[in-house]
Amino acid sequence: MRRVSIFGATGSIGQSTIDLIRRAPQDYDVVALTGGRNIAQLARDAIDLKVDIAVTAHDNLLPDLRAALDGSGIEAAAGPAAIEDAASRPADWIMSAIVGAAGLLPGLRALEQGTTLALANKESLVTAGPLLMATAKTHGATVLPVDSEHSGVFQALVGEDIAAVERVIITASGGAFRDTPMEQLANATLSEASSHPNWNMGQRITIDSASMFNKALELIETKEFFSISPDQIEVLVHPQSLVHALVGFRDGGIMAHLGPADMRHAIGYALHWPKRGEVPVDRLDLARVGSLDFRAPDLARYPALRLARDVMEAGGLTGAAFNAAKERALDGFIEGDLGFLQMADVVEAVLDQLCRDENLASEEINLDNVRRVDHLARKRAEDVIRGKQG
Ligand code: NAD
Ligand code: MG
């Protein structure tokens, strides 16, 4: 029996992880589940999986969670500190699927216990990649990528020497607006931006896919996870979302990773690693697919990709500023305070300010500095948003 915990259990990745675990209940002893406002879902899964502890991120929902778990013998807790504590509970495999920088601290706590961390939470790598990877090293922990592109790269690298890698290409579907004329993007609505042509995901990453901020985060994630130089990392638009990543080697050969657009493949790979297990995703029928299309991304259309290049170049705490400004700008779009294209304007303005006023590139990447820069970038983003409204 393997002890597993799932952070962000009520979300899209969390639910797909639970789906896999439910198919082989005899193999897993589920220690902790965490969620947000969806107490009914959290309690249902906690009872069904007979977990030790269920935690909601929201202190005020503790009475609701307690009531929903009444009589089950399952411990209930609430708040960010309780989520961190849950990440310190011994487990052999921990899924990090909280959305946003809120996933960083639980991820670090999990690594400190030397566990295997299945990392869907790309924001923690963007915010504090060197800190996360160093913590894993110090504590003998393993980090496995769950983002589909990074899982694809990871799989293509099995048995290979990273020194023989010439380039890594991650693909992008192009998101909701890949065929929308540029002049219509300024007026794109929340509901239009929240529907993805290929993947079924949480709302925030779906909107980030439409703006390519998701791919921007993934460029930085690639750099941090695989420790390769930014100029070796490329993005290719691939509307079918069947090739997730390609790794080009020194001898001119390329290994491509293909699979259906179903996150249970990447989650299942991380769950069964280093072996391969049975995963119930559709099998690709390439004769039916017929053709796979690729094109270079249009940088004028996707300023997020240009900003990601600047962030990778600058390094240090620039990623923390970038992610936080992006999260705040995304809130602004979701709340109706910003237009779709204004999100990138806000992020760029905040990066310009902070690169001028702070030593983002040279300051140490420790938790205090990361938190300070994260806070500052959100505050600056808020000011820029207010300025745009006024
Ligand atoms: P989601 O919005 O569906 O779920 C997010 C989960 O995090 C929920 O359980 C929610 O309750 C919890 N949560 C939200 N804010 C929190 C906070 N402040 N503190 C604690 N918990 C909080 O998101 P998702 O689509 O499942 O994505 C999760 C992570 O995985 C993200 O980092 C995303 O970028 C990454 N990812 C997702 C997909 C996908 O297919 N959905 C693919 C690749 C990577
Ligand atoms: Mg991805």
Side-chain angles (χ1 to χ4, degrees):
M1 286 268 264
R2 263 205 308 163
R3 293 166 305 174
V4 304
S5 288
I6 304 167
F7 288 74
T10 53
S12 167
I13 292 286
Q15 289 293 299
S16 293
T17 308
I18 288 176
D19 174 76
L20 294 182
I21 283 172
R22 238 183 220 129
R23 288 165 193 267
Q26 69 286 352
D27 294 345
Y28 305 103
D29 170 10
V30 186
V31 178
L33 294 185
T34 82
R37 296 187 196 286
N38 192 346
I39 298 297
Q41 180 78 62
L42 180 61
R44 211 168 27 242
D45 289 333
I47 292 168
D48 181 48
L49 296 169
K50 301 185 181 67
V51 310
D52 298 344
I53 181 169
V55 192
T56 165
H58 307 284
D59 289 302
N60 62 326
L61 295 179
L62 183 57
D64 295 4
L65 182 59
R66 280 211 175 108
L69 293 173
D70 191 34
S72 67
I74 295 169
E75 197 179 327
I83 292 183
E84 265 190 70
D85 285 348
S88 301
R89 292 213 175 192
D92 307 302
W93 187 90
I94 295 181
M95 168 54 77
S96 166
I98 288 173
V99 63
L104 175 61
L105 277 169
L108 288 170
R109 290 291 101 81
L111 292 172
E112 282 162 7
Q113 57 155 306
T115 190
T116 295
L117 187 70
L119 191 66
N121 179 264
K122 64 192 83 184
E123 296 90 344
S124 49
L125 271 176
V126 173
T127 301
L131 176 62
L132 202 82
M133 299 310 271
T135 304
K137 199 167 174 201
T138 304
H139 297 276
T142 302
V143 188
L144 298 173
V146 172
D147 215 345
S148 55
E149 299 76 6
H150 306 75
S151 174
V153 173
F154 191 81
Q155 295 181 46
L157 285 174
V158 170
E160 303 286 355
D161 180 356
I162 190 85
V165 173
E166 215 167 51
R167 59 188 180 142
V168 169
I169 303 168
I170 57 174
T171 61
S173 67
F177 302 135
R178 65 181 172 214
D179 301 316
T180 306
M182 192 65 187
E183 57 278 9
Q184 287 175 22
L185 285 185
N187 297 319
T189 66
L190 178 60
S191 97
E192 287 165 347
S194 302
S195 85
H196 198 283
N198 302 344
W199 296 91
N200 184 6
M201 312 185 283
Q203 186 188 35
R204 296 182 74 87
I205 184 175
T206 302
I207 301 169
D208 282 350
S209 297
S211 63
M212 285 265 193
F213 266 111
N214 180 49
K215 214 46 59 180
L217 297 176
E218 290 181 0
L219 277 170
I220 305 166
E221 183 185 9
T222 307
K223 175 194 168 213
E224 299 298 344
F225 191 92
F226 299 102
S227 298
I228 52 173
S229 150
D231 56 18
Q232 291 178 291
I233 313 170
E234 300 168 24
V235 172
L236 200 54
V237 174
H238 167 49
Q240 290 93 357
S241 293
L242 298 175
V243 178
H244 304 305
L246 305 105
V247 178
F249 294 94
R250 237 160 52 185
D251 58 5
I254 291 179
M255 298 294 283
H257 178 273
L258 284 79
D262 184 332
M263 285 307 293
R264 292 178 305 170
H265 165 71
I267 297 166
Y269 184 80
L271 187 61
H272 299 297
W273 181 87
K275 295 186 183 150
R276 283 193 188 264
E278 187 67 29
V279 179
V281 295
D282 289 344
R283 271 41 180 173
L284 281 192
D285 180 347
L286 287 174
R288 253 177 78 189
V289 171
S291 59
L292 300 169
D293 302 310
F294 301 95
R295 58 176 187 252
D298 174 354
L299 292 187
R301 192 183 175 84
Y302 300 116
L305 296 180
R306 174 174 51 80
L307 295 175
R309 293 272 167 211
D310 295 344
V311 172
M312 289 194 291
E313 216 49 65
L317 293 163
T318 320
F322 177 69
N323 179 69
K326 193 283 294 175
E327 287 193 30
R328 186 60 191 85
L330 178 57
D331 291 339
F333 177 66
I334 291 173
E335 288 156 16
D337 297 333
L338 276 185
F340 183 73
L341 294 177
Q342 287 180 313
M343 287 190 282
D345 297 342
V346 170
V347 176
E348 183 156 21
V350 172
L351 277 182
D352 283 351
Q353 285 181 23
L354 293 187
C355 287
R356 190 188 56 215
D357 302 347
E358 303 281 321
N359 294 319
L360 294 183
S362 50
E363 262 183 86
E364 195 192 335
I365 307 177
N366 58 35
L367 209 44
D368 285 346
N369 284 340
V370 166
R371 278 169 151 166
R372 187 178 62 78
V373 168
D374 179 285
H375 185 77
L376 192 58
R378 282 174 209 264
K379 173 87 191 38
R380 293 287 179 100
E382 199 159 327
D383 294 344
V384 177
I385 293 170
R386 264 210 214 97
K388 283 191 185 290
Q389 285 176 307

